[in-house]
Amino acid sequence: MDVSQASHGLGDPKLLDIIDKLMGLNIGDSVALPQSSVLEGLTGLPFPRDSTLCTRFATQITFRRASTTNINVTIIPDKSTSNDEAERLKAWKKSGLNSLDRKEFSKILEDVHRAMGIGESPQGLKKSFSDDVLKIEVAGPNQQHLSVVDVPGIFRKITEGVTTSIDMTNVRAMVERYMANSRSIILPVIPANVDIATQEILDMAEKHDSDGQRTLGVLTKPDLVDKGAEHNILDLMQGTTHKLNLGWCMVKNPGQQDLKREGFDRHASENTFFKHEAPWSTLDKDRVGVDSLRVRLVELLTEIVRREFNHVRTDVIQKLKATEKKLEALGPCRESKEQQQRYLLGLATSFQKMTEQALEAHYDGAFESNQSLRLATLVVDRNELFTDDVERRGHTMEFKAETIAKAASWEASYEPQVPVAAESSPPSIESDPYVRFTRQCNDCDDLDDLLVEIEVLQDPAGGVMEWLESVYKTSRGFELGTFNASLVNIVWRKQSSKWSNLALGYTSDIVSITHTYIRDLLREICVDDRVRAGLLSTMMDKLTDRYKRAMDQAQFLLEIEQDPLTYNHYFAENLEQCHQKRTKALLESKVYRDKNFGEVIKKSDLDKAVANRSNLENTVQQLHDILKSYYKVARKRFVDNVCMQAADRHLIRGPDTAVKVFSPFFVTDLTPEQLESIAGEDLSTKRKRADLTREVENLKQAKKLLVVV
């Protein structure tokens, strides 16, 4: 096509040349580029009149000035096309053409239809339209720098066996996608012999260009306007009716008979029509004819390019950063065993580094927003709660010295601090501040069979002396002034019977806290759901083994505590203190004040206080004091042992804990099959990585092109 007749070109043709290259990189799919939709008459290309070859895809037509004439035809795959299909489409080309007549162009379009899969597919399915783009590059010494895009026309009626309602929706979406581009020129092409008010394309243009800065109307077929109706079209062209800010242009396309005439010159015929045919000869010459339309289009495109190019550069840079971030989130490529192992080693190193921070309570970064990662704090809080629960509610019967008033004062001053793992939500009964539970964290779904159920923790009951007396009376033998040693075992097991629920509930909570920490930290360091699931699944046996060890150790400690035994000197001291406190309390009740000697007690009262107790009372009191003294020593020992041996050693800080399972050693022990199962990329990820890699490369090339502008 020769467009040398156009007297106005782009002020800086290299800008449009860069835009052409950007479109060839599919940058127009990511960033809005200056474009225009045009007709056959504007491009000068011999589009075939065969209805089966009418536009079924977008066509990008690029004209550029060069020393020699050359025409190249290629296909730009849609960005959603698979990699294999994209490579196949890119490989299709027609290059080195010196000219393009109607017959040859028809043959090329038939080949393009087959390449894009338009028509009957091997599976018998029909594809009427394609999102791929046909690119035609026309270079020559007389060409102007111009790039245009032609899109399929919208239609309302479905043709059976040819188009479907889905085709109608898809074509409309394609057209609107181009129209929505804020840097495009919209050319609604409308026959002059139809009612302008019925043309849906104008409503669509107004929707996407409400201020009318991008819409240039084009009227065709002025020779078919009914006699007497010409004034309506003249009013339209002169802006009296349906005014557009950019106005209207009019062109006259050749008819079928014209095209059959040998030597027919479309431009000469059109110029003659608008020069001599009334009333069209009265219209401004810069508004009629394809040449005038081309000049006007180049002027508009120049304005858009100059106005928008800096924005295009900014958009490309922002899109590149966003796309690189998405690609980085996928992690490194993981096709080979070495790549997979390197990837998992990086995750394991990050996991252990953050675990060191968590255990040292160095909370920054991800720890600030995710409370379940504050492992040390959660464990310490739960340790304190366990300690307090065993001290306040671990015994079945309230000891004699601990009065109801004192117990009530404990409740009044007690505000439990409950460590809650990520998924935890206390039972509804927890709304009562005086009701306590053996568990504070909900179970993780994959650990239900390993952990104990939640239980209500009852307060110690009163009447300890009556209970001890009853036990003694039902268990005594022929002892003189004392009791059978086995009686201590009996009352001890009863008094410490709540330790089982407390210790196993505590250990279950530490397991839940630990497992939630591992799961949430994996989510923090690895965005790939498939890799996380694979890691957790592969580690699960090792994790469960450590969780079970912790639970077994707690159970072992409970069994050890079944039979009272201690060599701790504090037991004897506690027992002596019990005797002293009881004697002191007894004597203080008999004290009175004498003016000469101060506080005194009568010898007779002293004798009565000592002598009034029966053997039964003395024996029960002695049993109580032994039980209380031993409980105090055993309680502290038991709490420390459970916290240190069951929880800390097997779950938190021991040499082989649950939080140390996912380590570089774990990764290096994985088999090639396990590496592939965990870190190997599925088809979806491979496709996503390939798409993002291709998009990043295109955007980088676009950025280089834009640097020189």
Side-chain angles (χ1 to χ4, degrees):
M1 167 189 146
D2 188 341
V3 293
S4 59
Q5 302 96 319
S7 59
H8 301 281
L10 287 173
D12 188 356
K14 75 174 183 178
L15 294 182
L16 192 55
D17 181 63
I18 291 175
I19 292 174
D20 296 337
K21 293 178 180 178
L22 293 176
M23 293 177 70
L25 293 171
N26 265 330
I27 300 303
D29 290 333
S30 306
V31 176
L33 298 173
Q35 304 167 348
S36 58
S37 300
V38 296
L39 305 172
E40 174 188 339
L42 180 61
T43 65
L45 292 174
F47 283 91
R49 299 291 172 156
D50 184 354
S51 61
T52 61
L53 293 177
C54 64
T55 308
R56 301 285 181 165
F57 40 79
T59 303
Q60 176 189 328
I61 309 165
T62 300
F63 302 97
R64 66 180 74 256
R65 186 164 295 163
S67 58
T68 59
T69 299
N70 186 41
I71 300 175
N72 294 316
V73 185
T74 57
I75 297 175
I76 302 175
D78 180 62
K79 66 176 182 178
S80 63
T81 304
S82 67
N83 289 331
D84 291 343
E85 180 67 6
E87 291 303 318
R88 186 185 68 80
L89 291 173
K90 286 180 180 179
W92 186 95
K93 63 178 61 177
K94 299 288 183 181
S95 57
L97 303 175
N98 294 323
S99 62
L100 199 60
D101 58 28
R102 193 173 301 277
K103 182 177 180 181
E104 187 171 10
F105 196 21
S106 295
K107 178 62 170 61
I108 288 176
L109 289 180
E110 289 176 356
D111 293 343
V112 171
H113 275 229
R114 283 192 292 271
M116 292 185 179
I118 297 174
E120 197 78 24
S121 69
Q123 293 78 22
L125 302 175
K126 288 189 175 181
K127 178 181 177 182
S128 300
F129 297 89
S130 173
D131 288 324
D132 302 321
V133 179
L134 174 65
K135 181 177 182 180
I136 304 173
E137 297 177 275
V138 182
N142 297 321
Q143 299 294 348
Q144 281 280 9
H145 285 271
L146 182 64
S147 184
V148 297
V149 176
D150 188 25
V151 295
I154 59 174
F155 57 92
R156 294 182 179 178
K157 187 176 181 180
I158 298 171
T159 302
E160 186 175 355
V162 179
T163 58
T164 65
S165 59
I166 296 177
D167 293 332
M168 184 167 59
T169 301
N170 289 344
V171 168
R172 184 183 180 91
M174 184 192 302
V175 173
E176 293 209 66
R177 186 167 67 247
Y178 280 96
M179 296 177 77
N181 184 347
S182 62
R183 294 162 190 163
S184 66
I185 299 172
I186 302 172
L187 294 181
V189 181
I190 300 171
N193 61 334
V194 302
D195 185 0
I196 194 75
T198 65
Q199 298 304 297
E200 185 180 6
I201 192 66
L202 290 176
D203 295 331
M204 294 170 63
E206 186 175 355
K207 170 186 174 183
H208 295 287
D209 180 31
S210 57
D211 57 1
Q213 297 301 310
R214 302 186 292 114
T215 304
L216 175 64
V218 179
L219 292 173
T220 64
K221 303 180 180 179
D223 52 319
L224 299 182
V225 175
D226 293 337
K227 295 296 181 181
E230 294 92 337
H231 66 282
N232 295 327
I233 305 303
L234 293 176
D235 290 343
L236 190 67
M237 289 291 296
Q238 293 166 359
T240 304
T241 61
H242 207 102
K243 183 177 180 180
L244 297 178
N245 286 344
L246 299 184
W248 291 83
C249 289
M250 180 179 287
V251 298
K252 179 182 178 299
N253 293 325
Q256 290 284 3
Q257 297 302 319
D258 294 330
L259 294 174
K260 293 178 181 178
R261 292 193 347 238
E262 187 175 352
F264 173 75
D265 186 335
R266 170 247 160 84
H267 296 287
S269 174
E270 187 180 45
N271 290 337
T272 300
F273 177 84
F274 285 117
K275 183 176 182 180
H276 300 290
E277 191 72 26
W280 318 121
S281 58
T282 62
L283 295 172
D284 293 339
K285 301 308 178 187
D286 62 351
R287 288 285 178 172
V288 296
V290 168
D291 291 339
S292 297
L293 174 60
R294 187 182 298 111
V295 170
R296 179 63 176 145
L297 180 61
V298 170
E299 291 174 345
L300 292 175
L301 190 56
T302 301
E303 293 176 13
I304 288 180
V305 169
R306 288 173 176 168
R307 183 179 69 238
E308 296 290 340
F309 223 93
N310 284 336
H311 298 305
V312 172
R313 183 188 295 109
T314 300
D315 287 351
V316 166
I317 293 173
Q318 290 177 348
K319 181 65 177 179
L320 176 58
K321 289 180 179 179
T323 307
E324 285 179 330
K325 188 173 182 180
K326 291 180 182 178
L327 184 59
E328 183 181 354
L330 292 179
C333 183
R334 310 190 299 273
E335 291 187 5
S336 67
K337 172 189 172 183
E338 291 73 19
Q339 290 173 329
Q340 294 163 0
Q341 190 175 75
R342 192 181 307 116
Y343 170 68
L344 293 181
L345 283 172
L347 293 181
T349 302
S350 297
F351 186 95
Q352 289 305 318
K353 182 178 180 180
M354 292 190 69
T355 296
E356 288 179 9
Q357 292 180 260
L359 294 178
E360 294 172 358
H362 292 166
Y363 301 140
D364 56 8
F367 296 100
E368 296 178 358
S369 58
N370 195 338
Q371 297 297 314
S372 68
L373 297 182
R374 301 191 171 203
L375 183 59
T377 301
L378 290 171
V379 171
V380 169
D381 286 347
R382 189 62 182 90
N383 289 350
E384 290 182 350
L385 192 61
F386 173 54
T387 302
D388 198 83
D389 281 343
V390 175
E391 179 181 358
R392 297 175 188 269
R393 297 178 174 83
H395 41 293
T396 304
M397 308 297 292
E398 195 72 79
F399 288 107
K400 185 178 179 181
E402 297 168 354
T403 63
I404 296 175
K406 184 176 180 181
S409 69
W410 280 352
E411 296 290 0
S413 63
Y414 182 54
E415 295 182 2
Q417 300 295 318
V418 181
V420 180
E423 292 183 338
S424 300
S425 56
S428 58
I429 194 172
E430 188 71 355
S431 60
D432 185 346
Y434 297 107
V435 177
R436 299 292 297 146
F437 297 91
T438 57
R439 294 287 308 278
Q440 300 300 328
C441 302
N442 286 348
D443 292 345
C444 300
D445 293 339
D446 42 359
L447 301 177
D448 287 344
D449 296 336
L450 182 64
L451 310 181
V452 299
E453 298 291 334
I454 187 171
E455 302 286 348
V456 175
L457 183 58
Q458 302 291 345
D459 288 335
V464 63
M465 301 306 290
E466 292 79 5
W467 168 63
L468 290 174
E469 181 179 337
S470 173
V471 173
Y472 172 69
K473 285 181 176 180
T474 58
S475 305
R476 60 185 171 179
F478 296 103
E479 304 86 4
L480 294 176
T482 183
F483 51 82
N484 193 311
S486 64
L487 190 58
V488 176
N489 289 26
I490 294 173
V491 296
W492 167 249
R493 291 176 183 178
K494 173 68 175 179
Q495 186 71 334
S496 62
S497 61
K498 292 196 287 184
W499 283 14
S500 178
N501 284 341
L502 281 167
L504 296 178
Y506 157 78
T507 309
S508 294
D509 277 355
I510 300 299
V511 169
S512 291
I513 289 171
T514 303
H515 195 66
T516 300
Y517 167 82
I518 292 171
R519 184 196 58 212
D520 288 359
L521 183 54
L522 284 175
R523 183 180 293 112
E524 186 67 36
I525 65 173
C526 178
V527 298
D528 193 313
D529 294 341
R530 180 174 175 270
V531 173
R532 285 202 312 274
L535 278 172
L536 201 56
S537 176
T538 306
M539 291 192 297
M540 203 60 199
D541 286 345
K542 293 180 180 293
L543 292 175
T544 302
D545 176 64
R546 284 148 183 81
Y547 298 154
K548 190 174 185 302
R549 287 185 206 170
M551 297 297 294
D552 289 346
Q553 183 67 24
Q555 186 63 52
F556 170 76
L557 293 172
L558 285 167
E559 293 173 4
I560 291 295
E561 294 293 346
Q562 288 289 303
D563 298 316
L565 178 67
T566 183
Y567 298 100
N568 193 323
H569 65 89
Y570 284 114
F571 169 67
E573 292 180 8
N574 290 339
L575 187 58
E576 180 60 28
Q577 287 178 6
C578 285
H579 294 162
Q580 292 177 0
K581 288 179 181 179
R582 186 174 67 256
T583 302
K584 182 179 179 181
L586 185 63
L587 294 177
E588 284 179 344
S589 65
K590 305 297 183 179
V591 171
Y592 69 92
R593 191 163 190 83
D594 182 82
K595 65 179 180 179
N596 294 321
F597 300 101
E599 292 183 343
V600 296
I601 184 171
K602 294 180 180 180
K603 183 178 181 301
S604 59
D605 289 338
L606 179 60
D607 292 339
K608 290 178 182 179
V610 174
N612 280 348
R613 284 197 170 184
S614 66
N615 286 338
L616 176 62
E617 288 177 323
N618 284 328
T619 301
V620 171
Q621 185 64 60
Q622 185 181 9
L623 183 60
H624 173 274
D625 292 348
I626 292 174
L627 181 62
K628 181 179 179 181
S629 300
Y630 180 74
Y631 186 90
K632 187 174 182 180
V633 171
R635 170 178 58 80
K636 294 179 179 179
R637 176 184 66 200
F638 177 69
V639 168
D640 284 347
N641 285 343
V642 172
C643 290
M644 294 174 64
Q645 297 181 32
D648 194 72
R649 179 172 178 79
H650 291 296
L651 301 175
I652 308 301
R653 295 187 301 174
D656 190 25
T657 65
V659 296
K660 292 180 180 178
V661 168
F662 184 40
S663 66
F665 295 106
F666 171 83
V667 174
T668 55
D669 285 341
L670 293 174
T671 65
E673 293 75 17
Q674 288 175 316
L675 286 170
E676 177 63 32
S677 175
I678 297 171
E681 295 178 335
D682 56 21
L683 293 178
S684 175
T685 303
K686 290 180 180 178
R687 185 162 50 247
K688 186 176 182 180
R689 183 185 299 280
D691 291 342
L692 289 173
T693 301
R694 181 173 56 190
E695 188 172 356
V696 165
E697 184 60 32
N698 288 343
L699 287 165
K700 285 182 177 180
Q701 292 184 40
K703 183 180 177 182
K704 290 180 180 179
L705 289 172
L706 292 166
V707 168
V708 301
V709 177

